[in-house]
Amino acid sequence: MVAAIILACAEHISVIVIGRVFQGVAISFASVSVPIYNSEMAPPHLRGRFNQLYQIILTLFILVAQVINLIINLTNAVRWGWRLSLGFAFVPSSVLFLGGIFLPDSPNSLLERGFPEQARKNLEYVRGRKDVDKEFNDLVEAAHIASQCKNPWGTIFSKKYWPQLVLSAFSTTFQQWTGINTLIFYAPQLFLALGTTKNISLIAAIILGACNHLSTYVAWWTADIFGRKTLFLQAGFQMAGALIVVAVSLKCLGQQGVWMAWYILAIICVYDMAYAWSWGPLGWLYPTEIQTLETRSCGLAVASFCNLLFSAVIAQTFLTMLCSLQWGTFLFFACCVIVETILVALLFVEPKAVPIEDCPFLFKKHWFWKRYASRGLGYQEKAVLMKKIESAKARGEAPPDEPGMQQILAELKNASTVSEISTSEHLVGLPDKQL
């Protein structure tokens, strides 16, 4: 809100820079806290879709901003129109500010801060019923696991958690190196360079924004059907192909007038659709699913940092690239998408249909990450395995043969009770030098 007021009232370029700094800090906070809040408040069976709401709302307001820019241009409000464009940020920021005041704290947050009674009341409120015993007990256990980790930043940078750290950073870094933000930010300049008028270039940007927003709903309905990794791979082929077509078309046909601009827009929309149902929403969803309870907040902070860092880098270099490389700019991003798709195929695990508490075990089975994930047992892994042991014991069966089970059974032989094993330091991500 403060940044929007500063920008709208700026009388000098230095004031605009200050306003943008304030705005950048606020966006970085929101990009971490909003996905976490959505995840914690969502019913367990709808957590994936609730996390995707972040991207849906984001693309909606990008579209709204593009419409506002067109309206301002049509009214010829040259002297004050830019103030309205920048000051419009006051509206969504006000909604976020009021939400921070009136929305209830998440039960997870209250439990971690030591307010269990209020946590249960809030859980009953958001679920709309009193019968929340099972979910509340799961949250209490999750909060207990998270509280055992006294140094989450040190934990996530230890070798055992490198898979979660690297893939969280990759998921949002790859978002930017697809080139999507540059095409959204600079779409009007691109279409102007192809020979269109200013109004037509703004209309083309709106079409691109509408395509981006509507295609995001595809991931909303299909991510749990086809899986995250499948959508990443499919989108990679589609995006790379579209970018190559754009590059070849610009090289061979050059600037052929307005029809060329509409042709390029159609191809970019094909590219944009693929991004919108893959890297757009799933790039933020993926880190929330693969992170353990003890590293989730830090993991999302890393993901947000990488996203904003490379957004700034690419935004500052795109126009220079476009002027110097021209059609080669699109070929460059096509190569980036191809590399990203190969890395997804080789390194990403598939969390579809896997309970969120079991996701850390996916890395113990992965051909590459198992060398790091198998370095001891983390807090969450320990709790999950103990629960499975107790469940098998209650049924009179042997514990399931899963990664880490033999290690915890070996420790169990030396522990007199289950409570002892839960506090055993040997099961809690031992430092690398001891493994």
Side-chain angles (χ1 to χ4, degrees):
M1 291 171 62
V2 173
I5 295 173
I6 293 174
L7 291 170
C9 299
E11 295 291 343
H12 191 270
I13 187 65
S14 60
V15 179
I16 294 179
V17 172
I18 293 172
R20 293 291 288 173
V21 169
F22 274 94
Q23 201 169 53
V25 172
I27 290 173
S28 65
F29 288 164
S31 63
V32 175
S33 59
V34 171
I36 291 178
Y37 185 82
N38 286 345
S39 177
E40 292 179 348
M41 296 297 280
H45 65 288
L46 295 176
R47 184 169 289 120
R49 289 187 176 179
F50 267 67
N51 282 343
Q52 293 181 59
L53 282 174
Y54 176 83
Q55 185 70 13
I56 288 175
I57 299 301
L58 180 64
T59 56
L60 174 62
F61 276 93
I62 289 174
L63 176 60
V64 170
Q66 290 166 334
V67 172
I68 289 174
N69 287 339
L70 175 61
I71 294 173
I72 291 173
N73 189 66
L74 291 175
T75 58
N76 294 317
V78 179
R79 297 186 62 183
W80 55 268
W82 64 271
R83 296 184 185 275
L84 182 59
S85 293
L86 295 177
F88 178 75
F90 185 85
V91 176
S93 61
S94 298
V95 174
L96 188 62
F97 175 75
L98 293 174
I101 295 175
F102 294 106
L103 287 176
D105 281 340
S106 71
N108 307 63
S109 175
L110 289 168
L111 284 170
E112 291 177 5
R113 288 182 286 152
F115 301 102
E117 295 181 359
Q118 186 61 45
R120 185 180 179 89
K121 290 180 181 178
N122 284 15
L123 183 61
E124 293 174 354
Y125 173 74
V126 297
R127 297 293 180 261
R129 64 179 191 274
K130 295 288 186 180
D131 183 20
V132 294
D133 292 340
K134 184 179 184 304
E135 184 176 359
F136 182 71
N137 290 336
D138 290 341
L139 292 178
V140 170
E141 182 180 0
H144 174 67
I145 294 172
S147 67
Q148 293 182 53
C149 183
K150 305 303 181 183
N151 182 16
W153 282 106
T155 299
I156 197 172
F157 280 100
S158 64
K159 286 187 177 181
K160 174 176 173 54
Y161 294 90
W162 277 7
Q164 289 90 339
L165 174 66
V166 172
L167 294 188
S168 292
F170 275 6
S171 64
T172 51
T173 299
F174 288 176
Q175 277 185 327
Q176 297 303 321
W177 286 102
T178 60
I180 185 66
N181 276 355
T182 54
L183 290 177
I184 291 177
F185 293 160
Y186 298 115
Q189 286 81 356
L190 173 62
F191 294 117
L192 280 173
L194 291 172
T196 66
T197 64
K198 189 172 183 181
N199 284 340
I200 291 179
S201 69
L202 291 174
I203 291 172
I206 290 175
I207 294 173
L208 188 61
C211 178
N212 187 33
H213 175 67
L214 295 175
S215 299
T216 304
Y217 291 99
V218 176
W220 174 275
W221 294 109
T222 62
D224 290 328
I225 298 175
F226 299 112
R228 289 75 166 135
K229 190 172 179 178
T230 300
L231 289 179
F232 283 143
L233 295 174
Q234 183 278 328
F237 286 107
Q238 184 171 328
M239 293 165 69
L243 288 171
I244 291 173
V245 170
V246 171
V248 173
S249 298
L250 291 176
K251 171 62 176 176
C252 298
L253 301 177
Q255 297 182 11
Q256 299 289 333
V258 176
W259 75 266
M260 181 65 175
W262 291 114
Y263 165 73
I264 294 297
L265 174 63
I267 303 302
I268 290 178
C269 282
V270 173
Y271 156 87
D272 191 32
M273 287 189 293
Y275 173 86
W277 64 56
S278 60
W279 288 108
L282 302 184
W284 290 107
L285 173 62
Y286 195 78
T288 67
E289 294 184 314
I290 64 172
Q291 288 295 333
T292 63
L293 290 169
E294 57 265 29
T295 62
R296 181 160 298 153
S297 59
C298 295
L300 288 179
V302 170
S304 179
F305 172 80
C306 291
N307 180 275
L308 296 174
L309 172 64
F310 289 107
S311 175
V313 170
I314 295 176
Q316 292 299 316
T317 57
F318 176 74
L319 288 182
T320 303
M321 290 176 59
L322 188 62
C323 293
S324 58
L325 299 179
Q326 299 179 0
W327 61 272
T329 303
F330 298 94
L331 193 59
F332 168 79
F333 283 117
C335 293
C336 289
V337 172
I338 291 172
V339 172
E340 292 170 9
T341 304
I342 293 173
L343 290 176
V344 167
L346 294 176
L347 299 180
F348 277 46
V349 297
E350 178 55 77
K352 184 193 75 169
V354 178
I356 196 167
E357 64 271 14
D358 288 340
C359 283
F361 294 98
L362 294 174
F363 296 105
K364 293 179 179 291
K365 304 174 185 178
H366 190 270
W367 70 273
F368 179 77
W369 295 123
K370 64 183 180 181
R371 70 192 69 184
Y372 301 105
S374 298
R375 292 171 174 262
L377 291 173
Y379 300 94
Q380 180 174 326
E381 295 169 336
K382 174 185 60 177
V384 170
L385 291 174
M386 284 303 305
K387 187 180 292 185
K388 291 182 178 181
I389 291 174
E390 293 171 359
S391 178
K393 183 178 179 181
R395 297 193 305 268
E397 301 174 356
D401 185 15
E402 296 185 6
M405 185 62 73
Q406 294 302 317
Q407 182 176 351
I408 198 170
L409 288 174
E411 292 291 339
L412 189 58
K413 292 180 181 179
N414 301 322
S416 58
T417 63
V418 170
S419 60
E420 279 186 52
I421 193 69
S422 67
T423 58
S424 174
E425 292 182 355
H426 298 287
L427 298 179
V428 186
L430 288 172
D432 298 332
K433 63 182 180 181
Q434 297 184 31
L435 295 173

